[in-house]
Amino acid sequence: MKPTLSHIVFCLDYYLPYQWWAEKVFGKLVEKLIADEVTVSIITTKHTQTVPDKEQIWWATIYRVWHKRTSWFFCWWRKARKIFTWLMKQKNQPQLIHTSTIAVPIIAWCLGKWANIPVTLTVHELFGALWKKAYPRSHRLYRWYEKFLCTIHFDTIVTVSTFTYKSVLQHNPSSPIERIYNGIDQKFSTISKWWVWSHDQPLKVLYFGHCWFSKWIDEYLTALPTIAEQYPRTQFIFSLLPSKNTSRIIKKLKCLQKQYTIHLHQNLPQEKLFQQIDDCHAIIVPSLSEWFGLAAAEASATKKILITTQFGALPEVVFWKVIFLDDHSTQSFLNARKKLIHNSYTTIPKKIFDRSICYQDYKTLRKNLLSKK
């Protein structure tokens, strides 16, 4: 009889209520595990002082051990091992560790070796040459560290797209690699209002997501005045999630609001975000690099016209009616707006990224790992 999972430990850079896309994915995986009555322990960072050091949510216990993910270099091992030692003394001992890029996988790997239990790594990001733009002074260290992570022998490396699969394979051809697509919230597919724009109404374009450099938001804001001048009936709507650059971007947007029709929202509850999406004509989600592209896949599910880029895994996951930007120039954004007005887009067949399928794929993976022990 194959062993069943009764206790899993997640070692993650961040966890809810931190609101990036990876946290949403892991949050839903944990919900499914709890529903299956699996004990879950989460070792992560205390990203803000308002969250408790330890939190119990049904069968899940969250241990927040430091204030930012880079701190693990100095003291995560000591604190993580202390927690893990206590967990190993319990009757229901951990059977598996699940970790994710980019700061904590080495800690997770060491804990797995120490306890002799399997460790699964999910690769959600591989920046490669983009590290130079993000961290000009220390990009070589980050790039080396990223390559090093891919060469460590984890029991399984999970990649979230074929693009990511191939990227990891370049660093470590002999590593046991699986591809498991992330699941998206199926509520996005219930947004069904289809707008056909006419010249007697404003054109509402929604940008939603984070403000990091890779999301092309700086380039979009640079192009915004020219777009507004050539297409004066445009309404620019922004629904932003918090990130390092959010305050700077908001400052820019508030300056632009003095001249142009800009609606700015931050960290909206899901229902209000759905209302915004329902009321817009198109969604813009550009990016320099994506390993799955959760925001773009969610935008595709709404059956709104999507304006995006062709980098990374984006062409792999987007569908419905899509307008691809050529580059980050103002002219490229203008061309996209012209295509939007004239309904000139690429139609891509529907793709399914279901959370239940994602969970079942992880469940099968875990069963296979446990049966080998």
Tab-separated table of all heavy atoms in Angstrom, residues 85 101 116 152 163 213 248 268 270 298 321 328 366:
chain	number	residue	atom	x	y	z
A	85	THR	N	13.068	21.048	14.022
A	85	THR	CA	13.417	20.059	15.044
A	85	THR	C	12.216	19.762	15.924
A	85	THR	O	11.932	18.606	16.259
A	85	THR	CB	14.594	20.565	15.913
A	85	THR	OG1	15.714	20.816	15.069
A	85	THR	CG2	14.968	19.548	16.969
A	101	THR	N	11.385	29.239	-5.431
A	101	THR	CA	12.401	30.270	-5.650
A	101	THR	C	11.913	31.587	-5.023
A	101	THR	O	10.735	31.843	-4.964
A	101	THR	CB	12.627	30.457	-7.149
A	101	THR	OG1	11.356	30.571	-7.801
A	101	THR	CG2	13.369	29.322	-7.763
A	116	ASN	N	16.143	13.579	6.272
A	116	ASN	CA	16.008	12.459	5.335
A	116	ASN	C	14.580	12.342	4.783
A	116	ASN	O	13.982	11.268	4.787
A	116	ASN	CB	16.434	11.140	5.991
A	116	ASN	CG	16.596	10.026	4.955
A	116	ASN	OD1	16.936	10.277	3.793
A	116	ASN	ND2	16.348	8.800	5.369
A	152	ILE	N	21.298	22.198	-7.843
A	152	ILE	CA	21.154	21.415	-6.612
A	152	ILE	C	20.226	20.231	-6.882
A	152	ILE	O	19.217	20.358	-7.579
A	152	ILE	CB	20.586	22.291	-5.472
A	152	ILE	CG1	21.565	23.405	-5.120
A	152	ILE	CG2	20.305	21.447	-4.229
A	152	ILE	CD1	21.029	24.383	-4.103
A	163	PHE	N	8.133	26.898	-21.081
A	163	PHE	CA	9.223	27.869	-21.177
A	163	PHE	C	10.154	27.744	-19.961
A	163	PHE	O	11.381	27.701	-20.103
A	163	PHE	CB	8.665	29.291	-21.264
A	163	PHE	CG	9.708	30.365	-21.159
A	163	PHE	CD1	10.481	30.702	-22.259
A	163	PHE	CD2	9.934	31.028	-19.955
A	163	PHE	CE1	11.471	31.684	-22.152
A	163	PHE	CE2	10.906	32.003	-19.850
A	163	PHE	CZ	11.676	32.336	-20.960
A	213	PHE	N	9.860	46.715	-12.417
A	213	PHE	CA	10.390	47.179	-13.698
A	213	PHE	C	10.021	46.236	-14.841
A	213	PHE	O	9.848	46.664	-15.982
A	213	PHE	CB	11.920	47.324	-13.611
A	213	PHE	CG	12.659	46.017	-13.722
A	213	PHE	CD1	13.128	45.582	-14.942
A	213	PHE	CD2	12.871	45.216	-12.598
A	213	PHE	CE1	13.804	44.374	-15.050
A	213	PHE	CE2	13.535	44.023	-12.699
A	213	PHE	CZ	14.005	43.589	-13.931
A	248	ARG	N	6.446	55.068	-6.005
A	248	ARG	CA	6.994	55.917	-7.079
A	248	ARG	C	6.030	55.991	-8.258
A	248	ARG	O	5.811	57.058	-8.832
A	248	ARG	CB	8.349	55.349	-7.534
A	248	ARG	CG	9.014	56.151	-8.634
A	248	ARG	CD	10.371	55.574	-8.987
A	248	ARG	NE	10.279	54.208	-9.476
A	248	ARG	CZ	9.936	53.897	-10.733
A	248	ARG	NH1	9.665	54.848	-11.604
A	248	ARG	NH2	9.893	52.639	-11.113
A	268	LEU	N	-7.354	46.249	-4.601
A	268	LEU	CA	-8.809	46.134	-4.512
A	268	LEU	C	-9.251	44.738	-4.080
A	268	LEU	O	-8.620	43.747	-4.458
A	268	LEU	CB	-9.438	46.424	-5.876
A	268	LEU	CG	-9.563	47.883	-6.321
A	268	LEU	CD1	-10.180	47.924	-7.705
A	268	LEU	CD2	-10.400	48.688	-5.351
A	270	GLN	N	-11.400	41.366	-4.447
A	270	GLN	CA	-11.636	40.678	-5.705
A	270	GLN	C	-12.935	41.101	-6.383
A	270	GLN	O	-12.960	41.310	-7.602
A	270	GLN	CB	-11.630	39.172	-5.486
A	270	GLN	CG	-11.586	38.365	-6.782
A	270	GLN	CD	-11.513	36.879	-6.512
A	270	GLN	OE1	-12.409	36.311	-5.900
A	270	GLN	NE2	-10.443	36.245	-6.950
A	298	GLU	N	-5.338	35.134	-16.276
A	298	GLU	CA	-6.605	35.555	-15.682
A	298	GLU	C	-7.308	36.566	-16.573
A	298	GLU	O	-8.533	36.506	-16.748
A	298	GLU	CB	-6.359	36.148	-14.294
A	298	GLU	CG	-5.964	35.113	-13.249
A	298	GLU	CD	-5.575	35.715	-11.916
A	298	GLU	OE1	-5.222	36.921	-11.876
A	298	GLU	OE2	-5.607	34.994	-10.912
A	321	LYS	N	-8.782	36.966	-27.401
A	321	LYS	CA	-8.436	38.026	-28.347
A	321	LYS	C	-7.234	38.800	-27.798
A	321	LYS	O	-7.344	39.454	-26.756
A	321	LYS	CB	-9.634	38.945	-28.573
A	321	LYS	CG	-10.880	38.195	-29.064
A	321	LYS	CD	-12.058	39.119	-29.234
A	321	LYS	CE	-13.336	38.335	-29.543
A	321	LYS	NZ	-13.256	37.528	-30.750
A	328	HIS	N	8.744	48.212	-26.135
A	328	HIS	CA	8.229	49.125	-25.112
A	328	HIS	C	8.221	50.582	-25.582
A	328	HIS	O	8.113	51.502	-24.762
A	328	HIS	CB	9.043	48.999	-23.818
A	328	HIS	CG	10.518	49.217	-23.984
A	328	HIS	ND1	11.046	50.397	-24.434
A	328	HIS	CD2	11.564	48.394	-23.738
A	328	HIS	CE1	12.360	50.304	-24.467
A	328	HIS	NE2	12.705	49.095	-24.045
A	366	ARG	N	3.511	14.078	-5.280
A	366	ARG	CA	3.852	13.769	-3.884
A	366	ARG	C	3.752	12.274	-3.601
A	366	ARG	O	4.588	11.701	-2.912
A	366	ARG	CB	2.937	14.564	-2.949
A	366	ARG	CG	3.219	16.062	-2.946
A	366	ARG	CD	2.507	16.737	-1.800
A	366	ARG	NE	1.059	16.686	-1.929
A	366	ARG	CZ	0.314	17.665	-2.427
A	366	ARG	NH1	0.894	18.774	-2.866
A	366	ARG	NH2	-0.995	17.555	-2.488
